[in-house]
Amino acid sequence: MTKLFKEIPLISIVVLIILVSCNNSQEVITTEMLLKEMVDRAEQSRYPKVDFRLKQASSYNRASVDSLDTDGWFINHDFNSNDKDHNFVRIEENNQQKEWVLMNHKGPGVIVRTWMPFLNPNKTDTDIQIKIYLDGSKDPVLEGNMLQLLNGEGLFPYPFAHKSLRSAVSFFPIAYAKSCKITTTGRPFFYQFTYREYPEETNIKTFSLEDFNNNKNLAAQVGDKLLNPVNFIDGQSVNLNLKIPVFGEKTIELPKGSAAVKMFALKLNDYTKDDLMRSTIVKMSFDGKEKVWCPIGDFFGTGVGLNPYQGWHNMVSEDGTMTTKWVMPYQKTASITIENLSEVAIDIQLNTIVGDYKWDERSMYFNAAWRGQYPIATRPYSDWNYISLKGRGVYIGDALTVMNPVEKWWGEGDEKIWVDGEDFPSIFGTGTEDYYGYSWGGRSTDFYEHPFHAQPQSNVYNKLNRKVTDERNTKGFSTEVRTRALDVMPFSSSFHFDMEVWSWTDCEMGYGVGLMWYGFEDVTSNRTPNAIEALNVPKLESID
């Protein structure tokens, strides 16, 4: 034994050996690994092997510092339109060219989502260039048109990058070992760059064009899976036709033992009464504890009424079949209950597939909850709490349905998300529609869908009734869906999510949101079953 080790206590040597061993055995985070993770449903039910926190660089207004300063906190100017605006990091000069710095993260990380809107609602192009510098390089690893690079027309293919409604959105992972700086050659308008922040010692293989080309075949396979989700067929099927009486419920016990729900689908016999999507409740219990209570419209993302769309995690078919493919594991027992809060009996088809699942120390329970409120006054401006969680888990998605009683735009409110008791939200957004992946909300009332976000209905439009004019009318119900893959949000002690209520009109709106997360057994939520509010479906005057 060398002199160095002679001077170190034996217990310290053991700890050192363990730490070195853990560090050496840690998998390297690569583009290949991240692409595979994007479509690994079972892995999503487990806490990340290498912990991270989701952060976001955005053009939120820098006057928003303290919630006690309501003027600054709710200021609606989350963009840059002239030289007085400074909602970015800084301006610097490179090779005699001015560049606006939008993101400047030090440490290992992965960009997992980008969003940038059109510069005006009818202009689909720009001459501004975007540059992405990794690990302190003087030359950008990626450079191209600010919109085209990230809308499916440039390097990153559809569906990873795509055009939503008047926006360029990309989910292709861009990993870096040491740092990431993103700049533009012109003044940025709105923007969001969402990234994973890893511990300093994390081993990451930095993205390169060579790496991208080496993974083209894998990316094509993953893209095909995202666009054509296959039903899980290996397992035990539970298929039932249920008649649920007025104010009644039916419970189905699932196969016992260590297993997981791999697919769960419901179909009503009659969709003529839109309110049934709120008065029909799905409840699920795992290992003796109720983990799910949610109206079916908000659980599956169809909103009030039947509004078909297809995503990676959820799908609503034109024939009325509503399907979710979140993996829902349990160790011993599980049950599904359908409750009817309405004054009419309902007929419903239930289909689920339960498959094998190996429970381990990273496994978590699936949870879903709901919050609704009507009316909500739009003045004074306020933060409306989606959910607050305590414990350790991962936030995975939500589906918001609003009722807007007026034609003017309702969704200027920013999302604000605090993780693990931080003083300032690590996610501070730029608008409700931006959070859900589109922009220019006053005009963008058409249907759209993508594997990770969708607008199944808005105004009078949905997949079966597409918008063909450029009218500006947001009156009525709008449903916005966002589910997460690489942009999930782990938390170790707490999670707090608010959405601003910010309409251009002083009026009374209705809000209802379905919420989903994975959590260890001790995770608690401030959401409790609320049958009275579920029946309080906002009534809307004629839109015509």
Side-chain angles (χ1 to χ4, degrees):
M1 184 178 290
T2 65
K3 180 178 180 182
L4 174 62
F5 279 91
K6 287 179 180 178
E7 294 175 355
I8 300 176
L10 180 59
I11 189 171
S12 299
I13 295 174
V14 173
V15 171
L16 180 62
I17 291 173
I18 292 173
L19 290 174
V20 171
S21 174
C22 289
N23 186 60
N24 289 340
S25 65
Q26 186 185 101
E27 295 181 78
V28 180
I29 294 173
T30 65
T31 300
E32 178 184 3
M33 178 186 296
L34 292 162
L35 288 171
K36 290 179 179 179
E37 180 186 337
M38 188 177 283
V39 289
D40 191 336
R41 298 186 190 276
E43 182 62 22
Q44 195 159 27
S45 70
R46 294 180 167 91
Y47 199 84
K49 287 182 180 178
V50 183
D51 205 356
F52 64 88
R53 290 296 173 267
L54 198 72
K55 306 286 184 177
Q56 183 167 278
S58 78
S59 57
Y60 81 92
N61 197 287
R62 272 40 178 188
S64 300
V65 176
D66 189 337
S67 60
L68 297 178
D69 173 17
T70 55
D71 289 340
W73 194 246
F74 295 111
I75 190 170
N76 184 38
H77 194 91
D78 301 307
F79 56 93
N80 302 281
S81 59
N82 56 59
D83 290 340
K84 293 182 180 179
D85 294 334
H86 206 279
N87 298 318
F88 50 89
V89 179
R90 64 175 181 271
I91 299 175
E92 61 185 28
E93 189 170 296
N94 293 311
N95 299 320
Q96 299 182 330
Q97 182 181 52
K98 185 185 291 186
E99 295 184 24
W100 281 256
V101 179
L102 314 188
M103 172 178 165
N104 190 36
H105 177 233
K106 303 292 186 182
V110 181
I111 300 171
V112 292
R113 177 184 181 267
T114 70
W115 168 88
M116 302 189 86
F118 296 173
L119 300 184
N120 72 55
N122 298 313
K123 185 178 180 182
T124 62
D125 59 0
T126 178
D127 58 1
I128 297 176
Q129 300 292 295
I130 189 170
K131 301 181 180 183
I132 301 178
Y133 300 85
L134 303 179
D135 295 350
S137 173
K138 293 182 179 180
D139 299 316
V141 174
L142 292 169
E143 180 177 7
N145 183 278
M146 183 176 72
L147 296 177
Q148 292 176 0
L149 181 65
L150 303 169
N151 71 2
E153 295 180 351
L155 180 70
F156 302 125
Y158 183 83
F160 302 99
H162 66 287
K163 292 179 182 177
S164 65
L165 296 177
R166 296 180 168 87
S167 291
V169 186
S170 176
F171 291 92
F172 197 94
I174 303 173
Y176 50 94
K178 298 178 181 178
S179 64
C180 175
K181 182 175 71 173
I182 300 178
T183 71
T184 54
T185 59
R187 182 189 302 111
F189 191 30
F190 289 83
Y191 66 87
Q192 294 180 0
F193 296 97
T194 311
Y195 60 96
R196 293 180 172 189
E197 181 180 74
Y198 283 94
E200 195 66 35
E201 67 276 7
T202 305
N203 196 352
I204 294 182
K205 182 181 179 181
T206 299
F207 174 92
S208 68
L209 290 178
E210 179 183 7
D211 190 38
F212 174 81
N213 289 326
N214 289 339
N215 284 287
K216 273 190 173 180
N217 289 338
L218 174 61
Q221 294 170 19
V222 171
D224 184 65
K225 285 185 178 181
L226 290 172
L227 292 173
N228 303 286
V230 177
N231 280 334
F232 185 86
I233 58 175
D234 295 329
Q236 185 170 340
S237 297
V238 179
N239 304 312
L240 295 169
N241 293 317
L242 305 173
K243 188 175 189 67
I244 305 178
V246 175
F247 307 136
E249 65 179 32
K250 292 288 180 68
T251 297
I252 299 92
E253 300 293 335
L254 299 181
K256 294 183 178 180
S258 182
V261 175
K262 301 293 183 72
M263 187 280 292
F264 168 53
L266 293 177
K267 181 181 179 181
L268 296 180
N269 187 50
D270 182 9
Y271 284 95
T272 58
K273 298 179 177 63
D274 288 348
D275 289 6
L276 289 177
M277 306 306 279
R278 278 278 167 83
S279 61
T280 307
I281 308 297
V282 57
K283 299 189 284 188
M284 296 184 179
S285 293
F286 303 112
D287 293 329
K289 293 186 178 180
E290 186 173 277
K291 297 292 184 180
V292 172
W293 192 100
C294 192
I296 59 173
D298 305 276
F299 183 83
F300 291 102
T302 182
V304 177
L306 181 66
N307 298 288
Y309 77 99
Q310 178 173 299
W312 170 245
H313 296 100
N314 296 331
M315 180 175 70
V316 178
S317 301
E318 294 181 17
D319 70 355
T321 303
M322 301 173 290
T323 305
T324 188
K325 296 179 181 178
W326 294 106
V327 171
M328 308 176 192
Y330 56 93
Q331 300 180 69
K332 296 179 180 179
T333 62
S335 64
I336 300 173
T337 298
I338 307 299
E339 183 177 11
N340 178 15
L341 301 176
S342 75
E343 296 180 352
V344 296
I346 58 173
D347 294 298
I348 193 165
Q349 298 176 31
L350 182 150
N351 301 284
T352 188
I353 295 178
V354 177
D356 293 337
Y357 183 93
K358 185 178 180 181
W359 189 279
D360 60 30
E361 69 278 358
R362 294 193 296 118
S363 296
M364 299 178 291
Y365 290 104
F366 175 84
N367 294 258
W370 180 79
R371 185 191 180 192
Q373 185 179 347
Y374 175 71
I376 296 177
T378 61
R379 300 292 185 275
Y381 305 117
S382 63
D383 286 328
W384 193 71
N385 178 240
Y386 270 28
I387 197 166
S388 295
L389 300 167
K390 291 185 177 180
R392 186 166 174 246
V394 179
Y395 186 76
I396 57 175
D398 42 77
L400 171 68
T401 295
V402 302
M403 189 284 287
N404 180 23
V406 298
E407 292 186 6
K408 286 188 176 181
W409 176 234
W410 56 267
E412 296 289 354
D414 306 335
E415 79 275 11
K416 301 163 185 173
I417 304 176
W418 291 259
V419 176
D420 295 338
E422 58 195 352
D423 294 329
F424 191 80
S426 50
I427 307 289
F428 202 126
T430 56
T432 307
E433 81 272 38
D434 313 348
Y435 173 82
Y436 288 105
Y438 67 105
S439 61
W440 296 100
R443 296 176 183 268
S444 299
T445 51
D446 195 10
F447 164 87
Y448 82 92
E449 63 183 0
H450 178 268
F452 300 130
H453 54 156
Q455 182 170 254
Q457 68 167 332
S458 183
N459 187 243
V460 297
Y461 304 108
N462 64 11
K463 193 172 188 175
L464 306 179
N465 179 36
R466 299 298 300 273
K467 185 178 182 181
V468 295
T469 68
D470 194 32
E471 66 177 317
R472 302 180 65 176
N473 183 354
T474 65
K475 185 178 181 179
F477 286 100
S478 293
T479 297
E480 321 292 344
V481 177
R482 179 173 176 180
T483 61
R484 298 167 178 260
L486 296 183
D487 58 333
V488 295
M489 297 196 68
F491 54 94
S492 62
S493 60
S494 64
F495 178 88
H496 183 93
F497 185 166
D498 288 347
M499 184 69 78
E500 288 179 1
V501 176
W502 209 114
S503 167
W504 283 107
T505 305
D506 185 352
C507 61
E508 292 185 333
M509 295 180 61
Y511 270 59
V513 64
L515 306 140
M516 298 182 181
W517 69 97
Y518 284 107
F520 291 96
E521 190 171 1
D522 62 343
V523 171
T524 59
S525 153
N526 65 339
R527 295 288 146 248
T528 55
N530 191 338
I532 294 176
E533 193 61 43
L535 294 173
N536 184 27
V537 181
K539 301 304 178 185
L540 181 67
E541 298 177 3
S542 174
I543 297 178
D544 298 331

